[in-house]
Amino acid sequence: YALAIWALSNQDWVTAEEHFERASQQGRANVYLPLRAYALCRGGDLEEGRRLSAKFQRTLRSPDSLAELLNEVCATPRAQAPASN
């Protein structure tokens, strides 16, 4: 998880997603879904990112700000993706 956060902070989207995926295999995979979706979409794999985002959003009782962020990031091609705050 720590390596994933480091990669995320360096905008190394592929490495971040790989580390999040490994962390998810150790348990509580749903916790990592939005992080994996974000990294995938920012890295340009919009199809897989959207799939994971949709899977995550099905676990929510109602839409929230994280779901809205994922929708925005995953709707935008990489070159035009909004900068993270």
Side-chain angles (χ1 to χ4, degrees):
Y1 176 80
L3 293 173
I5 296 298
W6 179 258
L8 198 65
S9 70
N10 287 300
Q11 298 182 5
D12 183 351
W13 312 117
V14 172
T15 301
E17 197 285 324
E18 290 170 352
H19 288 299
F20 284 134
E21 183 179 20
R22 273 191 228 113
S24 74
Q25 292 170 354
Q26 296 176 9
R28 299 187 59 177
N30 286 343
V31 169
Y32 296 98
L33 283 174
L35 296 167
R36 292 182 63 207
Y38 180 83
L40 285 163
C41 288
R42 289 301 304 263
D45 190 348
L46 296 177
E47 184 177 331
E48 182 65 6
R50 288 174 183 148
R51 187 185 73 75
L52 292 182
S53 177
K55 187 174 179 180
F56 163 68
Q57 291 183 46
R58 285 192 298 270
T59 68
L60 302 175
R61 292 189 178 132
S62 62
D64 65 8
S65 58
L66 180 54
E68 291 174 16
L69 173 67
L70 287 174
N71 289 337
E72 182 179 333
V73 169
C74 292
T76 309
R78 181 179 178 194
Q80 299 172 8
S84 58
N85 294 329

